[in-house]
PDB file of all heavy atoms in Angstrom:
ATOM      1  N   THR A 135      75.535-121.258  89.285  1.00 97.00           N
ATOM      2  CA  THR A 135      76.870-120.601  89.214  1.00 97.00           C
ATOM      3  C   THR A 135      77.807-121.470  88.310  1.00 97.00           C
ATOM      4  O   THR A 135      78.696-120.940  87.685  1.00 97.00           O
ATOM      5  CB  THR A 135      77.419-120.403  90.498  1.00 97.00           C
ATOM      6  OG1 THR A 135      77.489-121.693  91.371  1.00 97.00           O
ATOM      7  CG2 THR A 135      76.718-119.329  91.345  1.00 97.00           C
ATOM      8  N   TRP A 139      79.656-120.073  85.052  1.00 97.00           N
ATOM      9  CA  TRP A 139      81.164-120.195  84.786  1.00 97.00           C
ATOM     10  C   TRP A 139      81.364-120.735  83.331  1.00 97.00           C
ATOM     11  O   TRP A 139      82.284-120.275  82.686  1.00 97.00           O
ATOM     12  CB  TRP A 139      81.732-121.102  85.815  1.00 97.00           C
ATOM     13  CG  TRP A 139      83.132-120.612  86.178  1.00 97.00           C
ATOM     14  CD1 TRP A 139      84.240-121.201  85.842  1.00 97.00           C
ATOM     15  CD2 TRP A 139      83.446-119.366  86.989  1.00 97.00           C
ATOM     16  NE1 TRP A 139      85.299-120.438  86.316  1.00 97.00           N
ATOM     17  CE2 TRP A 139      84.886-119.260  87.088  1.00 97.00           C
ATOM     18  CE3 TRP A 139      82.637-118.378  87.613  1.00 97.00           C
ATOM     19  CZ2 TRP A 139      85.509-118.343  87.796  1.00 97.00           C
ATOM     20  CZ3 TRP A 139      83.301-117.350  88.199  1.00 97.00           C
ATOM     21  CH2 TRP A 139      84.696-117.311  88.301  1.00 97.00           C
ATOM     22  N   LEU A 233      87.218-122.876 102.652  1.00 98.00           N
ATOM     23  CA  LEU A 233      86.122-121.906 102.744  1.00 98.00           C
ATOM     24  C   LEU A 233      84.802-122.737 102.258  1.00 98.00           C
ATOM     25  O   LEU A 233      84.528-122.746 101.023  1.00 98.00           O
ATOM     26  CB  LEU A 233      86.243-120.623 101.902  1.00 98.00           C
ATOM     27  CG  LEU A 233      85.064-119.724 102.097  1.00 98.00           C
ATOM     28  CD1 LEU A 233      84.783-119.371 103.449  1.00 98.00           C
ATOM     29  CD2 LEU A 233      85.380-118.441 101.311  1.00 98.00           C
ATOM     30  N   LEU A 238      78.975-118.931 102.596  1.00 98.00           N
ATOM     31  CA  LEU A 238      78.666-117.843 101.787  1.00 98.00           C
ATOM     32  C   LEU A 238      77.214-117.678 101.411  1.00 98.00           C
ATOM     33  O   LEU A 238      76.917-116.712 100.746  1.00 98.00           O
ATOM     34  CB  LEU A 238      79.499-117.960 100.420  1.00 98.00           C
ATOM     35  CG  LEU A 238      81.094-118.206 100.679  1.00 98.00           C
ATOM     36  CD1 LEU A 238      81.677-118.512  99.323  1.00 98.00           C
ATOM     37  CD2 LEU A 238      81.651-116.903 101.273  1.00 98.00           C
ATOM     38  N   PHE A 244      73.042-115.690  98.153  1.00 98.00           N
ATOM     39  CA  PHE A 244      74.319-115.289  98.695  1.00 98.00           C
ATOM     40  C   PHE A 244      74.168-114.289  99.754  1.00 98.00           C
ATOM     41  O   PHE A 244      73.213-113.475  99.833  1.00 98.00           O
ATOM     42  CB  PHE A 244      75.137-114.567  97.482  1.00 98.00           C
ATOM     43  CG  PHE A 244      75.760-115.482  96.647  1.00 98.00           C
ATOM     44  CD1 PHE A 244      75.112-115.937  95.514  1.00 98.00           C
ATOM     45  CD2 PHE A 244      76.966-116.175  96.853  1.00 98.00           C
ATOM     46  CE1 PHE A 244      75.662-117.002  94.633  1.00 98.00           C
ATOM     47  CE2 PHE A 244      77.637-116.973  96.043  1.00 98.00           C
ATOM     48  CZ  PHE A 244      76.944-117.452  94.839  1.00 98.00           C
ATOM     49  N   ALA A 247      77.241-108.436 100.723  1.00 95.00           N
ATOM     50  CA  ALA A 247      78.625-108.166 100.146  1.00 95.00           C
ATOM     51  C   ALA A 247      79.645-108.044 101.387  1.00 95.00           C
ATOM     52  O   ALA A 247      80.699-108.514 101.178  1.00 95.00           O
ATOM     53  CB  ALA A 247      78.600-106.896  99.390  1.00 95.00           C
ATOM     54  N   LEU A 250      80.395-111.637 102.666  1.00 98.00           N
ATOM     55  CA  LEU A 250      81.304-112.298 101.599  1.00 98.00           C
ATOM     56  C   LEU A 250      82.596-111.834 101.696  1.00 98.00           C
ATOM     57  O   LEU A 250      83.626-112.679 101.677  1.00 98.00           O
ATOM     58  CB  LEU A 250      80.674-112.043 100.090  1.00 98.00           C
ATOM     59  CG  LEU A 250      79.316-112.664  99.878  1.00 98.00           C
ATOM     60  CD1 LEU A 250      78.811-112.383  98.420  1.00 98.00           C
ATOM     61  CD2 LEU A 250      79.326-114.263 100.174  1.00 98.00           C
ATOM     62  N   ARG A 251      82.833-110.500 101.774  1.00 98.00           N
ATOM     63  CA  ARG A 251      84.157-109.896 101.732  1.00 98.00           C
ATOM     64  C   ARG A 251      84.904-110.415 103.076  1.00 98.00           C
ATOM     65  O   ARG A 251      86.097-110.774 103.013  1.00 98.00           O
ATOM     66  CB  ARG A 251      84.146-108.422 101.840  1.00 98.00           C
ATOM     67  CG  ARG A 251      84.210-107.824 100.316  1.00 98.00           C
ATOM     68  CD  ARG A 251      84.466-106.355 100.472  1.00 98.00           C
ATOM     69  NE  ARG A 251      83.506-105.684 101.203  1.00 98.00           N
ATOM     70  CZ  ARG A 251      82.264-105.112 100.653  1.00 98.00           C
ATOM     71  NH1 ARG A 251      82.111-105.204  99.332  1.00 98.00           N
ATOM     72  NH2 ARG A 251      81.491-104.408 101.356  1.00 98.00           N
ATOM     73  N   LEU A 254      85.982-114.033 102.536  1.00 98.00           N
ATOM     74  CA  LEU A 254      87.081-114.158 101.682  1.00 98.00           C
ATOM     75  C   LEU A 254      88.391-113.604 102.092  1.00 98.00           C
ATOM     76  O   LEU A 254      89.431-114.188 101.842  1.00 98.00           O
ATOM     77  CB  LEU A 254      86.700-113.443 100.260  1.00 98.00           C
ATOM     78  CG  LEU A 254      85.494-113.938  99.515  1.00 98.00           C
ATOM     79  CD1 LEU A 254      85.142-113.137  98.315  1.00 98.00           C
ATOM     80  CD2 LEU A 254      85.635-115.409  99.144  1.00 98.00           C
ATOM     81  N   MET A 259      91.900-114.766 100.289  1.00 98.00           N
ATOM     82  CA  MET A 259      91.638-114.801  98.881  1.00 98.00           C
ATOM     83  C   MET A 259      91.669-113.389  98.241  1.00 98.00           C
ATOM     84  O   MET A 259      92.133-113.144  97.156  1.00 98.00           O
ATOM     85  CB  MET A 259      90.129-115.335  98.661  1.00 98.00           C
ATOM     86  CG  MET A 259      90.091-116.829  99.125  1.00 98.00           C
ATOM     87  SD  MET A 259      88.329-117.475  99.271  1.00 98.00           S
ATOM     88  CE  MET A 259      87.936-117.715  97.689  1.00 98.00           C
ATOM     89  N   LEU A 260      91.296-112.452  99.017  1.00 98.00           N
ATOM     90  CA  LEU A 260      91.223-110.946  98.540  1.00 98.00           C
ATOM     91  C   LEU A 260      92.720-110.473  98.318  1.00 98.00           C
ATOM     92  O   LEU A 260      92.898-109.588  97.454  1.00 98.00           O
ATOM     93  CB  LEU A 260      90.493-110.065  99.332  1.00 98.00           C
ATOM     94  CG  LEU A 260      88.991-110.455  99.521  1.00 98.00           C
ATOM     95  CD1 LEU A 260      88.173-109.417 100.271  1.00 98.00           C
ATOM     96  CD2 LEU A 260      88.346-110.582  98.084  1.00 98.00           C
ATOM     97  N   ALA A 275      82.585-125.525  93.875  1.00 98.00           N
ATOM     98  CA  ALA A 275      83.695-124.468  93.792  1.00 98.00           C
ATOM     99  C   ALA A 275      83.341-123.139  93.051  1.00 98.00           C
ATOM    100  O   ALA A 275      83.889-122.194  93.331  1.00 98.00           O
ATOM    101  CB  ALA A 275      84.876-125.095  93.132  1.00 98.00           C
ATOM    102  N   THR A 276      82.373-123.293  92.254  1.00 98.00           N
ATOM    103  CA  THR A 276      81.901-122.039  91.533  1.00 98.00           C
ATOM    104  C   THR A 276      81.086-121.071  92.441  1.00 98.00           C
ATOM    105  O   THR A 276      80.929-119.951  92.049  1.00 98.00           O
ATOM    106  CB  THR A 276      80.958-122.434  90.298  1.00 98.00           C
ATOM    107  OG1 THR A 276      79.744-123.051  90.759  1.00 98.00           O
ATOM    108  CG2 THR A 276      81.638-123.295  89.199  1.00 98.00           C
ATOM    109  N   ILE A 277      80.644-121.526  93.548  1.00 98.00           N
ATOM    110  CA  ILE A 277      80.041-120.608  94.683  1.00 98.00           C
ATOM    111  C   ILE A 277      81.055-119.734  95.171  1.00 98.00           C
ATOM    112  O   ILE A 277      80.990-118.625  95.216  1.00 98.00           O
ATOM    113  CB  ILE A 277      79.359-121.441  95.768  1.00 98.00           C
ATOM    114  CG1 ILE A 277      78.122-122.138  95.293  1.00 98.00           C
ATOM    115  CG2 ILE A 277      79.023-120.566  96.888  1.00 98.00           C
ATOM    116  CD1 ILE A 277      76.862-121.404  95.071  1.00 98.00           C
ATOM    117  N   ASP A 278      82.242-120.402  95.546  1.00 98.00           N
ATOM    118  CA  ASP A 278      83.381-119.614  96.090  1.00 98.00           C
ATOM    119  C   ASP A 278      83.849-118.690  95.063  1.00 98.00           C
ATOM    120  O   ASP A 278      84.239-117.434  95.213  1.00 98.00           O
ATOM    121  CB  ASP A 278      84.503-120.525  96.521  1.00 98.00           C
ATOM    122  CG  ASP A 278      84.220-121.180  97.937  1.00 98.00           C
ATOM    123  OD1 ASP A 278      82.982-121.361  98.139  1.00 98.00           O
ATOM    124  OD2 ASP A 278      85.113-121.542  98.639  1.00 98.00           O
ATOM    125  N   ALA A 279      84.018-119.127  93.748  1.00 98.00           N
ATOM    126  CA  ALA A 279      84.493-118.364  92.651  1.00 98.00           C
ATOM    127  C   ALA A 279      83.638-117.082  92.374  1.00 98.00           C
ATOM    128  O   ALA A 279      83.947-116.012  92.193  1.00 98.00           O
ATOM    129  CB  ALA A 279      84.719-119.229  91.347  1.00 98.00           C
ATOM    130  N   PHE A 280      82.254-117.460  92.316  1.00 98.00           N
ATOM    131  CA  PHE A 280      81.323-116.425  92.118  1.00 98.00           C
ATOM    132  C   PHE A 280      81.242-115.334  93.155  1.00 98.00           C
ATOM    133  O   PHE A 280      81.180-114.205  92.811  1.00 98.00           O
ATOM    134  CB  PHE A 280      79.928-117.090  91.921  1.00 98.00           C
ATOM    135  CG  PHE A 280      78.879-116.196  91.389  1.00 98.00           C
ATOM    136  CD1 PHE A 280      78.750-115.994  89.926  1.00 98.00           C
ATOM    137  CD2 PHE A 280      77.887-115.583  92.049  1.00 98.00           C
ATOM    138  CE1 PHE A 280      77.724-115.236  89.327  1.00 98.00           C
ATOM    139  CE2 PHE A 280      76.917-114.682  91.528  1.00 98.00           C
ATOM    140  CZ  PHE A 280      76.863-114.602  90.204  1.00 98.00           C
ATOM    141  N   ALA A 281      81.489-115.758  94.346  1.00 98.00           N
ATOM    142  CA  ALA A 281      81.494-114.844  95.481  1.00 98.00           C
ATOM    143  C   ALA A 281      82.791-113.862  95.324  1.00 98.00           C
ATOM    144  O   ALA A 281      82.588-112.769  95.763  1.00 98.00           O
ATOM    145  CB  ALA A 281      81.657-115.613  96.883  1.00 98.00           C
ATOM    146  N   CYS A 282      83.787-114.359  94.723  1.00 98.00           N
ATOM    147  CA  CYS A 282      84.988-113.550  94.385  1.00 98.00           C
ATOM    148  C   CYS A 282      84.500-112.396  93.440  1.00 98.00           C
ATOM    149  O   CYS A 282      84.732-111.280  93.655  1.00 98.00           O
ATOM    150  CB  CYS A 282      86.089-114.388  93.830  1.00 98.00           C
ATOM    151  SG  CYS A 282      87.036-115.301  95.032  1.00 98.00           S
ATOM    152  N   LEU A 283      83.946-112.876  92.370  1.00 98.00           N
ATOM    153  CA  LEU A 283      83.305-111.857  91.492  1.00 98.00           C
ATOM    154  C   LEU A 283      82.497-110.757  92.024  1.00 98.00           C
ATOM    155  O   LEU A 283      82.595-109.603  91.689  1.00 98.00           O
ATOM    156  CB  LEU A 283      82.680-112.563  90.359  1.00 98.00           C
ATOM    157  CG  LEU A 283      83.475-113.523  89.444  1.00 98.00           C
ATOM    158  CD1 LEU A 283      82.612-114.069  88.152  1.00 98.00           C
ATOM    159  CD2 LEU A 283      84.798-113.098  88.929  1.00 98.00           C
ATOM    160  N   LEU A 284      81.585-111.151  92.949  1.00 97.00           N
ATOM    161  CA  LEU A 284      80.645-110.397  93.595  1.00 97.00           C
ATOM    162  C   LEU A 284      81.347-109.309  94.477  1.00 97.00           C
ATOM    163  O   LEU A 284      80.790-108.204  94.658  1.00 97.00           O
ATOM    164  CB  LEU A 284      79.618-111.093  94.405  1.00 97.00           C
ATOM    165  CG  LEU A 284      78.556-111.958  93.628  1.00 97.00           C
ATOM    166  CD1 LEU A 284      77.840-112.785  94.748  1.00 97.00           C
ATOM    167  CD2 LEU A 284      77.667-111.051  92.876  1.00 97.00           C
ATOM    168  N   THR A 285      82.559-109.697  94.909  1.00 97.00           N
ATOM    169  CA  THR A 285      83.276-108.712  95.755  1.00 97.00           C
ATOM    170  C   THR A 285      84.289-107.930  94.943  1.00 97.00           C
ATOM    171  O   THR A 285      85.149-107.286  95.552  1.00 97.00           O
ATOM    172  CB  THR A 285      83.991-109.375  96.953  1.00 97.00           C
ATOM    173  OG1 THR A 285      84.790-110.418  96.478  1.00 97.00           O
ATOM    174  CG2 THR A 285      82.864-110.030  97.881  1.00 97.00           C
ATOM    175  N   GLY A 286      84.361-108.140  93.644  1.00 97.00           N
ATOM    176  CA  GLY A 286      85.301-107.411  92.862  1.00 97.00           C
ATOM    177  C   GLY A 286      86.699-108.067  92.623  1.00 97.00           C
ATOM    178  O   GLY A 286      87.541-107.480  92.069  1.00 97.00           O
ATOM    179  N   LYS A 287      86.798-109.319  93.113  1.00 97.00           N
ATOM    180  CA  LYS A 287      87.926-110.122  92.868  1.00 97.00           C
ATOM    181  C   LYS A 287      87.868-110.944  91.679  1.00 97.00           C
ATOM    182  O   LYS A 287      87.200-112.013  91.619  1.00 97.00           O
ATOM    183  CB  LYS A 287      88.307-111.015  94.092  1.00 97.00           C
ATOM    184  CG  LYS A 287      89.434-111.872  93.939  1.00 97.00           C
ATOM    185  CD  LYS A 287      90.734-111.063  94.182  1.00 97.00           C
ATOM    186  CE  LYS A 287      91.953-111.939  94.162  1.00 97.00           C
ATOM    187  NZ  LYS A 287      93.164-111.140  94.274  1.00 97.00           N
ATOM    188  N   VAL A 290      90.261-115.138  89.463  1.00 98.00           N
ATOM    189  CA  VAL A 290      89.831-116.443  90.117  1.00 98.00           C
ATOM    190  C   VAL A 290      89.634-117.479  89.041  1.00 98.00           C
ATOM    191  O   VAL A 290      88.969-117.100  87.966  1.00 98.00           O
ATOM    192  CB  VAL A 290      88.677-116.160  91.070  1.00 98.00           C
ATOM    193  CG1 VAL A 290      87.418-115.607  90.244  1.00 98.00           C
ATOM    194  CG2 VAL A 290      88.335-117.460  91.673  1.00 98.00           C
TER     195      VAL A 290
END
Side-chain angles (χ1 to χ4, degrees):
T135 54
W139 218 254
L233 178 54
L238 303 171
F244 280 90
L250 296 181
R251 271 195 299 271
L254 298 176
M259 297 160 79
L260 296 186
T276 63
I277 291 284
D278 286 29
F280 194 80
C282 285
L283 299 188
L284 289 175
T285 58
K287 180 70 176 180
V290 56

